[in-house]
Amino acid sequence: MPQKKEFKKITTHSIQSMKEKGEKIAMLTAYDFSMATVLDQAGLDIILVGDSAANVMAGFETTLPITLDHMIYHAQCVVRAVKSAFVLVDLPFGTYQGDANEALRSAIRIMKESGAHGVKVEGGEEIIASVEAIISAGIPVMGHLGLTPQSINKLGGYKIRAKEEQEANKLMEDAMILQQAGCFALLLEKIPATLGKKVSEKLQIPTIGIGAGKYCDGQVLVIHDMLGLNIGFKPRFLRQYAEMYQTMLGAAQTYVLDVKANTFPNESEQY
Ligand code: KIV
């Protein structure tokens, strides 16, 4: 059982100190009260209210359509459940790129209206003015490099990034720029493990990997993927910890049978 004796409330300081002590950082996504209650109890260090809510909660094909209001709603639900974990919220597409003042306003809305503890943004040098503006208001920022799903139309697909030297060098430069700007951590998505290792060793701030190998300072997965709710999604990096789709399907099918057969409710289940 994971113990949370040293840090009751996880903060950017405790996250940094985990890197320094070599303790791996555990992060998963959540978008609602019930799921966040379970994850907080399980000892997650960081709960990410990811814009993957667009996919797994709303059924969109990409993360692009989700709005700031949607993200604030999901963040509020998660924050109400969490006692210990650091709650991090994705700034959605179109709310921080290209305009540092708008980025700051978006991040302030998330912090004020949800009570979350920090925000995550996708991109490097090209969004650095936005990152600096948000950090200048005392808001912790996690960067996100490698496969950045908000740029899917530019990237052209969800394949592994930074395999070639040029893109790997750019990623390393961006990582240094984000650290220099004051990011408290950096998420690395779907890059070679060797590059994940290099970045993690070079940076003082922690790296959190998803498909970025075992040398990252922490790991993150989308909760629906790791619980086996997102059937058919089986990338190599995904370890599935449960078969929730089958479990839920079986329960719902049995319920239908019971209702049809009039065996639910029985005598003890009625007033
Ligand atoms: O939105 C999300 O869930 C993410 C993943 C990379 C964890 O950013």
Side-chain angles (χ1 to χ4, degrees), residues 29 31 48 50-52 90 120 144 187 189 210 220-222:
T29 66
Y31 320 96
L48 171 65
D51 60 357
S52 50
D90 265 333
K120 177 164 81 59
H144 181 158
L187 191 146
E189 180 164 355
I210 175 163
V220 61
L221 288 173
V222 170

Side-chain angles (χ1 to χ4, degrees), residues 119-263:
V119 299
K120 177 164 81 59
V121 290
E122 296 183 9
E125 194 189 358
E126 65 284 0
I127 57 148
I128 213 63
S130 297
V131 170
E132 284 169 347
I134 298 168
I135 292 173
S136 76
I139 300 172
V141 175
M142 180 183 286
H144 181 158
L145 296 173
L147 174 59
T148 47
Q150 291 179 12
S151 306
I152 194 61
N153 292 305
K154 181 177 163 202
L155 301 178
Y158 293 95
K159 65 179 184 357
I160 182 170
R161 305 304 312 178
K163 272 170 88 174
E164 309 303 331
E165 201 182 332
Q166 200 184 353
E167 195 178 332
N169 290 341
K170 164 87 168 87
L171 189 146
M172 182 61 95
E173 278 166 28
D174 281 339
M176 296 303 287
I177 289 169
L178 288 165
Q179 171 171 272
Q180 178 68 29
C183 284
F184 77 95
L186 177 64
L187 191 146
L188 297 170
E189 180 164 355
K190 220 165 175 188
I191 60 169
T194 46
L195 181 58
K197 181 171 192 277
K198 250 169 100 177
V199 177
S200 304
E201 285 172 357
K202 183 129 192 229
L203 291 190
Q204 265 114 50
I205 58 171
T207 58
I208 311 287
I210 175 163
K214 63 181 286 183
Y215 301 103
C216 292
D217 301 302
Q219 298 293 329
V220 61
L221 288 173
V222 170
I223 188 73
H224 290 63
D225 301 342
M226 66 86 79
L227 289 180
L229 267 172
N230 194 2
I231 46 155
F233 183 67
K234 292 193 188 301
R236 174 177 175 158
F237 68 77
L238 175 62
R239 184 179 293 179
Q240 208 176 293
Y241 286 83
E243 299 276 356
M244 289 304 290
Y245 188 94
Q246 289 311 328
T247 304
M248 289 171 71
L249 181 67
Q253 284 171 331
T254 307
Y255 172 78
V256 170
L257 290 175
D258 288 355
V259 171
K260 301 278 180 200
N262 200 20
T263 59

Side-chain angles (χ1 to χ4, degrees), residues 68-69 72 104-115:
L68 191 55
D69 286 337
I72 289 170
L104 179 57
R105 277 194 299 276
S106 305
I108 286 177
R109 274 201 64 200
I110 288 188
M111 302 299 281
K112 255 189 196 297
E113 295 178 38
S114 76

